[in-house]
């Protein structure tokens, strides 16, 4: 009996699918016998994919990602990773296939969110691939993501050329993979030049944050937890929920600048709600947090900003975000940090004629300390000297281009007063270099400067030292020695860029005061010692007014 078979055409860019109901029987022609189909010649049957091995353990050992608690492969861009493909038969020279990597909702080749990697003579996109070897039906492939590849979670497909079309593997979540920044690669914008630093600023999941005053520095341990289960997904979720453009996620400058806005909830419904009062009844007091993991997981699970944070919490969570994605980062504490609301280099404290603080007319403030972050990167938008550590601050203080964010500002630009470069150099410069001016207001509202202190603000800046549990003084990376020729040149240059200073020509005071207090416990007497130094030739009578108040670390008096 002869059977007739319907021929299924190959449809370009669609999976080949054979429905058994499409086979129909027909009666044989009169006088003809059954036809016996010929066997297919070896190597000519369609090539199909049987399995994909992402070689997770092997790849992550080479990419410094073994600590991520995640079922999917985590690799870094600009470094080869290996995938094994098992086909239905050994490959022959006529076979052709490609890997396709997709990221985001609407992947497109012209936005580098759809990447095709080929292994024959056809041209690939920005990623490279090569066949490393074959073992019967298994083909080992080496793939290298471009040094500027988008960072995030990719979906991967294997597409085999069949006739004039492509037969793709079905969607398989197990073949998804994360691509991160690579501080080990000189081709990546986040390349850090030594292994000890990479270990500290990328791989260290715990740290110290410095607090207190210049005279009494304290430390707080913080668990960054960048490798903990769910943290990497939470970091990607933050970018997704705040609608950070996919194509911007491969550019470290844009990534860091956007992150400084995403960590606070002032814009875009970000991660943390700030609270500098003494009422934390609607959330968790900032002093209760000991790490970032719980905060990030809560935000990911609920989609609602987490309450509450102050500067060190913002800095700790942003540090986790940056290290998790592969950007070298550290937390900086600036002691006697100026918050200048007028955009100049004058931090003015106003007093009444009797010497009591005039808080109603005082607009500026001095924080005992303020924490921000530094991220290490190449600034491709600036001259080479401005690459390296960049200030980025997630604490919502002032808006920058319409959002509560700050940075990245090159630390070397802060030190040398070159404040014309992006981003927010003038604001950071004022935090470490403002002049402290004591103003006296008369009953008519007239202000008269009585004293100028050029050394009080930015007294010192600390970060955790590399490879040891202790502080590293990084003050000289932000400012030259007070009164040195380099310092005078920096201040003059800053004025040229519009940062006004106080030019009052005040006579040197002949009276100096030193106030010291011993640390104590609540409910115990507080011992305060005030010493007056008369540097004049004549005896002086002194009338002093002393006011003691409980204040927050931001300089605001408790009500």
């Amino acid at each position: 009996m002869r059977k007739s078979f319907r021929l299924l055409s190959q449809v370009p860019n669609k999976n080949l699918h054979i429905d058994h109901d499409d086979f129909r029987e027909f009666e044989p022609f009169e006088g003809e016998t059954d036809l016996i189909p010929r066997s297919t010649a070896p190597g000519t049957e369609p090539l199909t994919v049987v399995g994909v091995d992402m070689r997770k353990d092997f790849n992550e050992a080479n990419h410094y990602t073994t600590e991520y608690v995640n079922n999917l492969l985590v690799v870094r861009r600009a470094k080869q990773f290996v995938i094994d493909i098992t086909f239905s038969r050994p490959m022959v020279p006529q076979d052709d296939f490609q890997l396709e990597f997709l990221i985001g909702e609407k992947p497109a080749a012209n936005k580098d969110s759809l990447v095709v990697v080929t292994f024959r003579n056809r041209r690939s996109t920005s990623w490279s691939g090569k066949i490393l070897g074959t073992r019967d039906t298994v083909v080992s492939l080496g793939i290298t993501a471009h040094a500027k590849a988008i960072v995030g979670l990719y979906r991967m497909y294997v597409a085999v050329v069949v006739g004039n079309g492509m037969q793709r593997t079905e969607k398989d979540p197990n073949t998804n993979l994360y691509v991160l920044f690579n501080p080990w690669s000189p081709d990546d914008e986040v390349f850090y030049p030594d292994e000890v630093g990479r270990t500290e600023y990328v791989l260290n999941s715990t740290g110290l944050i410095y607090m207190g005053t210049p005279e009494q520095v304290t430390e707080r341990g913080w668990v960054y937890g960048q490798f903990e289960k769910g943290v990497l997904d939470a970091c990607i979720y933050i970018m997704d929920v705040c609608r950070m453009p996919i194509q911007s996620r491969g550019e470290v400058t844009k990534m860091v600048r956007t992150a400084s806005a995403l960590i606070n909830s002032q814009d875009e419904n970000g991660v943390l709600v700030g609270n500098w009062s003494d009422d934390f009844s609607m959330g968790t007091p900032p002093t209760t947090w000991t790490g970032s993991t719980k905060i990030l997981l809560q935000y990911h699970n609920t989609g609602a900003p987490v309450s509450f944070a102050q500067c060190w919490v913002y800095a700790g969570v942003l540090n986790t975000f940056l290290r998790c994605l592969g950007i070298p980062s550290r937390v900086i504490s600036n002691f006697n940090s100026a918050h200048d609301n007028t955009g100049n280099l004058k931090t003015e404290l106003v007093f009444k004629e009797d010497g009591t603080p005039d808080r109603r007319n005082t607009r500026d403030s001095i924080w005992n300390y303020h924490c921000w972050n530094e991220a290490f990167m190449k600034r491709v938008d600036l001259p080479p000297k401005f690459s390296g550590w960049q200030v980025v601050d997630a604490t919502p203080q002032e808006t920058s281009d319409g959002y509560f964010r700050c940075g990245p500002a090159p630390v070397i630009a802060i030190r040398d007063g070159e404040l014309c470069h992006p981003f927010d150099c003038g604001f950071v410069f004022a935090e470490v270099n403002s002049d402290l001016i004591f103003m006296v207001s008369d009953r008519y509202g007239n202000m008269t400067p009585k004293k100028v202190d050029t050394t009080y603000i930015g007294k010192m800046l600390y970060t955790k030292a590399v490879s040891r549990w202790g502080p590293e003084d990084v003050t000289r990376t932000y400012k030259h020695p007070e009164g040195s020729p380099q310092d005078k040149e920096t201040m003059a240059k800053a004025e040229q860029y519009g940062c006004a200073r106080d030019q009052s020509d005040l006579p040197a005071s002949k009276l100096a005061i030193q106030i010291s207090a011993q640390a104590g416990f609540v409910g115990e007497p507080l011992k305060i010692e005030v010493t007056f130094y008369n540097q004049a030739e004549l005896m002086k009578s002194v009338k002093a007014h002393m006011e003691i108040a409980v204040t927050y670390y931001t300089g605001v008096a408790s009500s």
Side-chain angles (χ1 to χ4, degrees):
M1 171 184 258
R2 188 184 73 173
K3 293 181 183 285
S4 297
F5 296 90
R6 177 180 296 177
L7 180 63
L8 299 180
S9 62
Q10 300 295 333
V11 180
N13 297 321
K14 294 198 174 181
N15 289 337
L16 177 64
H17 177 71
I18 299 177
D19 191 335
H20 292 289
D21 291 337
D22 283 342
F23 289 97
R24 309 270 179 89
E25 282 195 17
F26 295 91
E27 292 298 326
F29 291 105
E30 186 177 353
E32 293 188 358
T33 58
D34 291 350
L35 299 177
I36 301 175
R38 294 180 179 178
S39 61
T40 306
T44 60
E45 67 269 20
L47 186 71
T48 59
V49 177
V50 176
V52 178
D53 182 357
M54 303 299 288
R55 302 284 300 274
K56 187 175 189 296
D57 292 341
F58 173 80
N59 287 318
E60 291 186 344
N62 290 326
H63 285 249
Y64 303 94
T65 57
T66 55
E67 293 189 61
Y68 286 90
V69 182
N70 200 298
N71 293 327
L72 301 179
L73 175 63
V74 182
V75 298
R76 300 187 188 276
R77 61 191 194 178
K79 184 175 179 62
Q80 180 179 273
F81 60 96
V82 178
I83 294 177
D84 287 348
I85 309 293
T86 302
F87 289 104
S88 56
R89 58 168 173 79
M91 287 185 60
V92 296
Q94 293 78 18
D95 292 326
D96 196 6
F97 68 96
Q98 63 190 35
L99 299 186
E100 299 171 355
F101 297 88
L102 295 76
I103 187 170
E105 294 181 354
K106 298 179 180 180
N110 62 347
K111 294 184 178 179
D112 291 327
S113 54
L114 190 162
V115 181
V116 176
V117 181
T118 62
F119 300 90
R120 294 299 190 187
N121 296 323
R122 291 185 295 114
R123 182 180 178 182
S124 288
T125 51
S126 56
W127 296 22
S128 63
K130 61 181 178 179
I131 296 177
L132 302 177
T134 60
R135 303 181 308 280
D136 192 27
T137 61
V138 179
V139 179
S140 294
L141 306 174
I143 301 98
T144 304
H146 192 269
K148 295 182 181 295
I150 295 170
V151 168
L153 178 62
Y154 284 81
R155 308 180 295 280
M156 190 195 77
Y157 297 89
V158 184
V160 179
V161 176
V162 180
N164 295 323
M166 288 285 187
Q167 183 177 0
R168 289 178 175 81
T169 52
E170 295 182 355
K171 184 177 181 179
D172 182 1
N174 293 317
T175 61
N176 292 350
L177 73 156
Y178 299 90
V179 176
L180 307 181
F181 291 100
N182 189 357
W184 281 265
S185 171
D187 296 326
D188 200 304
E189 293 174 359
V190 302
F191 173 66
Y192 195 86
D194 69 78
E195 184 62 29
V196 175
R198 290 189 289 261
T199 301
E200 178 68 47
Y201 300 131
V202 180
L203 300 181
N204 196 349
S205 60
T206 58
L208 297 172
I209 299 177
Y210 292 94
M211 315 168 84
T213 66
E215 295 76 26
Q216 292 181 321
V217 177
T218 61
E219 62 186 34
R220 173 185 293 270
W222 194 265
V223 179
Y224 300 119
Q226 67 266 36
F227 306 119
E228 295 296 320
K229 184 177 181 180
V231 170
L232 179 54
D233 288 321
C235 292
I236 294 175
Y237 172 79
I238 292 170
M239 295 185 283
D240 290 340
V241 77
C242 299
R243 299 183 182 87
M244 182 180 181
I246 285 289
Q247 59 269 26
S248 297
R249 301 183 190 185
E251 301 179 48
V252 64
T253 301
K254 291 182 179 179
M255 174 74 82
V256 167
R257 181 157 175 77
T258 303
S260 71
L262 301 184
I263 299 302
N264 70 71
S265 65
Q266 296 295 110
D267 310 297
E268 304 291 347
N269 207 37
V271 178
L272 284 162
V273 179
N275 185 346
W276 281 267
S277 72
D278 54 3
D279 180 8
F280 305 111
S281 57
M282 301 300 291
T284 301
T287 52
T288 301
W289 301 114
T290 58
S292 307
T293 302
K294 187 176 180 180
I295 294 171
L296 290 169
L297 296 183
Q298 179 178 327
Y299 181 74
H300 188 195
N301 292 333
T302 66
V306 179
S307 302
F308 291 105
Q310 293 180 3
C311 71
W312 71 90
V313 182
Y314 286 113
V317 173
L318 179 55
N319 215 52
T320 299
F321 179 91
L322 297 173
R323 289 188 184 183
C324 184
L325 296 181
I327 303 171
S329 61
R330 59 189 186 182
V331 176
I332 301 293
S333 298
N334 177 36
F335 291 92
N336 293 350
S337 186
H339 185 180
D340 183 7
N341 286 299
T342 52
N344 53 34
L345 296 179
K346 297 183 288 186
T347 298
E348 298 173 336
L349 301 183
V350 183
F351 297 83
K352 299 176 183 177
E353 289 182 298
D354 63 358
T356 58
D358 187 352
R359 294 190 172 90
R360 185 172 66 88
N361 289 316
T362 298
R363 298 287 181 264
D364 300 332
S365 61
I366 303 171
W367 295 21
N368 288 350
Y369 65 93
H370 176 51
C371 300
W372 59 65
N373 301 80
E374 286 181 358
F376 195 90
M377 70 185 74
K378 182 179 180 181
R379 287 296 298 270
V380 295
D381 57 326
L382 296 177
K385 68 170 287 189
F386 297 106
S387 294
W389 288 115
Q390 314 283 316
V391 173
V392 54
D393 192 349
T395 301
Q397 299 181 83
E398 302 290 337
T399 58
S400 174
D401 296 330
Y403 294 91
F404 280 92
R405 59 186 174 184
C406 180
V411 172
I412 193 171
I414 307 303
R415 187 196 67 183
D416 295 341
E418 300 187 54
L419 309 183
C420 59
H421 301 293
F423 298 89
D424 309 308
C425 289
F427 182 81
V428 179
F429 187 86
E431 288 183 296
V432 299
N433 277 307
S434 283
D435 295 335
L436 177 58
I437 305 172
F438 297 86
M439 308 289 290
V440 174
S441 173
D442 63 21
R443 58 180 177 175
Y444 303 107
N446 299 314
M447 302 283 187
T448 305
K450 290 296 183 181
K451 181 182 177 183
V452 178
D453 190 338
T454 62
T455 65
Y456 187 81
I457 302 299
K459 183 65 74 174
M460 59 189 188
L461 294 99
Y462 275 8
T463 189
K464 179 190 174 300
V466 174
S467 302
R468 64 180 177 86
W469 292 94
E472 178 184 350
D473 190 336
V474 294
T475 307
R476 289 295 166 255
T477 65
Y478 279 84
K479 53 198 303 185
H480 295 288
E482 197 73 39
S484 67
Q486 297 94 330
D487 176 58
K488 294 177 181 178
E489 181 181 350
T490 291
M491 300 306 290
K493 193 177 297 182
E495 288 189 90
Q496 293 175 4
Y497 289 119
C499 290
R501 300 184 68 190
D502 184 81
Q503 302 297 338
S504 302
D505 186 15
L506 300 176
S509 175
K510 298 295 185 180
L511 181 66
I513 304 174
Q514 182 178 356
I515 302 176
S516 61
Q518 295 180 355
F521 296 96
V522 176
E524 294 183 352
L526 182 64
K527 182 179 179 181
I528 299 175
E529 185 176 287
V530 181
T531 305
F532 296 90
Y533 296 94
N534 181 11
Q535 298 171 339
E537 297 178 355
L538 302 176
M539 295 289 292
K540 296 283 186 180
S541 297
V542 176
K543 181 180 180 181
H545 174 94
M546 176 179 288
E547 179 174 304
I548 300 175
V550 176
T551 61
Y552 302 113
Y553 79 97
T554 58
V556 177
S558 175
S559 57

